[in-house]
Amino acid sequence: MRNKGVYIHATAEVHESSKIGDGSMIWNWSKVREDVTIGKNCIIGQCCYIDFAVILGNRCKVQNGVSLYNGLTVGDDVFIGPNATFTNDLRPRAHNKDWKISKTIVLDGASIGANSTIVCGITLGKNCMVAAGSVVTKDVPDHALVMGQPARIVDFVNRSGARLKCGPTGRLPEPEILNR
């Protein structure tokens, strides 16, 4: 279903069962599979792959070369940097009769840096930030800044992404600081 003001580049493939919200844009060579939901005012960059039944909230920005696999639910206002990949199988094999999808959830306002890999079965917290090139293997708390392979908490960020310089204490700063 295509709502008003939706732009789909001529080279993009969007399955007819997918729901694309008002004002969203899907750029060249991207593929959107069956039963995908893309919210309002989203931007899907070039050469992206969105697997069946993925859910994207409103105002998300998915940059070039991103792969989003089945089992992924993304909240509103999420940024996903170029070439980030989300997995959906904890025990990948070419042939596995016991294969099952592991769910991954990205909460509102999260930011995932370029070339990051998000291992399935985890939750990325509200307004968290994943540094470029990180490999995220476990849940990330709200407002946490994580980096590395495997990713670990190095600090916290406010809603606009500014680093708070409070270190990896595991304790969130006061709400008025986080909401800036």
Side-chain angles (χ1 to χ4, degrees), residues 8-167:
I8 299 173
H9 191 274
T11 61
E13 292 180 41
V14 178
H15 194 275
E16 63 186 26
S17 67
S18 291
K19 296 172 187 71
I20 313 298
D22 294 349
S24 289
M25 297 185 282
I26 301 172
W27 289 98
N28 45 318
W29 307 113
S30 289
K31 182 173 182 95
V32 178
R33 296 222 17 224
E34 307 88 80
D35 301 316
V36 167
T37 299
I38 296 175
K40 295 178 181 179
N41 300 309
C42 291
I43 300 170
I44 309 300
Q46 68 180 9
C47 301
C48 292
Y49 176 77
I50 303 179
D51 202 6
F52 65 96
V54 166
I55 299 169
L56 283 176
N58 298 313
R59 299 171 307 278
C60 292
K61 186 172 188 180
V62 179
Q63 299 238 285
N64 300 345
V66 170
S67 295
L68 307 176
Y69 289 101
N70 180 266
L72 177 63
T73 299
V74 176
D76 295 338
D77 303 304
V78 171
F79 173 85
I80 303 174
N83 301 305
T85 298
F86 290 75
T87 69
N88 70 350
D89 190 350
L90 286 172
R91 296 182 301 137
R93 296 287 182 263
H95 302 283
N96 182 353
K97 64 181 167 69
D98 299 323
W99 182 72
K100 66 180 179 182
I101 293 168
S102 295
K103 305 277 185 199
T104 300
I105 298 169
V106 180
L107 298 179
D108 295 350
S111 181
I112 294 97
N115 297 307
S116 293
T117 299
I118 311 301
V119 176
C120 57
I122 64 173
T123 298
L124 300 183
K126 186 176 180 181
N127 297 313
C128 74
M129 183 174 284
V130 175
S134 296
V135 177
V136 183
T137 60
K138 59 185 178 181
D139 290 350
V140 175
D142 293 351
H143 295 277
L145 168 60
V146 298
M147 61 178 60
Q149 300 97 21
R152 64 196 181 295
I153 298 172
V154 297
D155 208 343
F156 291 91
V157 295
N158 66 15
R159 188 176 65 200
S160 66
R163 194 167 177 168
L164 297 175
K165 298 184 178 146
C166 57

